[in-house]
Amino acid sequence: MAIVSIPTAVATSERPVKSRRFNRARLPAALALLPTALIVLVVYIGCMLWTVRLSFTSSTLLPKLDWVGFAQYSRLFMNDRFLVSAENILIFGVLFISGCLIIGFMLAVFIDQNVRAEGVFRTIFLYPYAMSFVVTGVAWQWFLNPGLGLQKLVRDMGFESFTFDWLVNQQMAIYTIVIAGLWHGAGLTMAILLAGLRGVDSELWKAARIDGIPTWRVYLSIVLPLLRPMVVTATVLLATGVVKLYDLVVAMTLGGPGIATEVPAKFVMDHLFERNNIALGTAAATVMLITVVVILAPWIYAKYVRSQGRPA
């Protein structure tokens, strides 16, 4: 019995020593991260809470600390300009996310066929994402301008009746924003899905060929379900970009013609810095914040909370 009890005592006595050593080893890293943690708490979270607080006031040019309840939110959802911006962001979001996923998947499948000059194609497809939305917007604003870009080019080639005036057409202007957004964001989706395609086991393809399954069926029924984590990640990244859409609209249309391409982020910026209506602007910003939380919450729960709760 004595022989058995000695190692047990030694093991139990070594545990606090190892834990103390482990904590001492982590102390420099914790001290190094402390300023960043304070900045996140004070600047980011503090500013978000301050924004939400101002949305319940009657602040105009300068902040006030009075309380008007949900009056600003009532005004916000009765504001035609905000309703148009909400409709535009919904149209842009659905077309942008679905289009980026489809085009990105097709580009990833194309590159995954071991094509020649693969690195060149990857660079070409991903290059637009390396550009800012401002540069993208200016480039597409010139290209789609009826008097300078595509329409003038085709007419100079002899097709005098050709018309492509979506940029100045109130009914179609929002779709020009979608086109520019697809050009900018499809490369990111391609890169994410291509990484997933490269991880698909080659034995699945061999088995599919032996069974005579068509290639398109393999992609739809086998490959896409395997790429579900990549698709979810790409969707979350694209969705957060949709909510904060601002630069592209300002560079291409300034929200026009009229308010045809107005989006919530531009609504917020205009009311904060041009219309001197801090309360209404922060109310719109709070609605955007809630939208982002609603988008991210299921993904965070599935990726971190539920996955950690699974038994090993």
Side-chain angles (χ1 to χ4, degrees):
M1 297 295 294
I3 297 175
V4 176
S5 62
I6 291 174
T8 305
V10 172
T12 54
S13 63
E14 286 181 352
R15 287 177 183 173
V17 176
K18 290 183 178 180
S19 62
R20 285 196 297 269
R21 291 177 180 175
F22 182 70
N23 291 332
R24 290 176 182 175
R26 296 178 59 182
L27 184 60
L31 292 176
L33 292 174
L34 183 60
T36 303
L38 291 176
I39 291 174
V40 170
L41 289 174
V42 175
V43 177
Y44 287 94
I45 298 179
C47 287
M48 283 191 292
L49 295 176
W50 178 246
T51 299
V52 175
R53 174 66 180 88
L54 288 178
S55 68
F56 293 99
T57 67
S58 61
S59 303
T60 52
L61 177 61
L62 296 174
K64 298 179 182 178
L65 293 180
D66 57 348
W67 181 266
V68 296
F70 290 92
Q72 300 299 338
Y73 292 92
S74 299
R75 291 180 55 199
L76 182 67
F77 288 103
M78 294 177 62
N79 189 303
D80 292 337
R81 186 179 178 189
F82 181 77
L83 295 179
V84 170
S85 70
E87 180 182 354
N88 286 338
I89 205 67
L90 180 62
I91 294 173
F92 177 85
V94 171
L95 296 178
F96 173 70
I97 295 175
S98 59
C100 281
L101 291 175
I102 294 172
I103 296 174
F105 180 71
M106 295 174 65
L107 294 177
V109 170
F110 167 71
I111 294 180
D112 193 46
Q113 306 304 310
N114 296 322
V115 297
R116 293 182 179 179
E118 176 183 324
V120 176
F121 282 111
R122 283 187 303 187
T123 302
I124 292 174
F125 295 149
L126 193 56
Y127 178 75
Y129 188 74
M131 302 170 62
S132 68
F133 265 134
V134 174
V135 176
T136 299
V138 171
W140 278 93
Q141 193 275 340
W142 175 86
F143 181 71
L144 298 177
N145 190 311
L148 299 174
L150 178 63
Q151 177 176 298
K152 184 177 185 301
L153 176 64
V154 176
R155 288 186 176 183
D156 290 344
M157 295 171 62
F159 301 93
E160 296 294 337
S161 62
F162 178 80
T163 301
F164 193 84
D165 60 348
W166 286 13
L167 192 67
V168 295
N169 187 324
Q170 287 192 343
Q171 302 299 323
M172 304 302 295
I174 186 61
Y175 299 104
T176 63
I177 308 295
V178 174
I179 293 173
L182 289 175
W183 182 78
H184 184 272
L188 172 66
T189 310
M190 177 215 67
I192 295 174
L193 297 183
L194 180 60
L197 287 175
R198 291 293 165 82
V200 175
D201 192 352
S202 59
E203 296 298 326
L204 292 175
W205 287 105
K206 293 179 181 179
R209 294 190 187 98
I210 293 173
D211 293 337
I213 303 176
T215 303
W216 66 269
R217 187 70 179 180
V218 177
Y219 277 112
L220 289 179
S221 301
I222 300 176
V223 175
L224 273 178
L226 293 175
L227 297 182
R228 183 174 175 273
M230 290 75 178
V231 173
V232 172
T233 300
T235 302
V236 171
L237 293 176
L238 295 172
T240 53
V242 168
V243 175
K244 61 182 182 181
L245 176 68
Y246 174 77
D247 301 355
L248 186 62
V249 173
V250 172
M252 285 188 67
T253 63
L254 283 175
I259 58 172
T261 56
E262 186 79 9
V263 290
K266 187 176 183 300
F267 180 91
V268 171
M269 297 297 288
D270 287 350
H271 280 76
L272 288 179
F273 300 106
E274 293 184 8
R275 296 173 177 263
N276 298 328
N277 195 333
I278 294 177
L280 192 62
T282 53
T286 302
V287 172
M288 292 175 62
L289 174 63
I290 295 174
T291 304
V292 173
V293 171
V294 169
I295 292 172
L296 290 179
W299 177 71
I300 294 174
Y301 174 79
K303 189 173 181 62
Y304 297 102
V305 179
R306 190 173 64 179
S307 61
Q308 290 179 2
R310 292 175 181 173

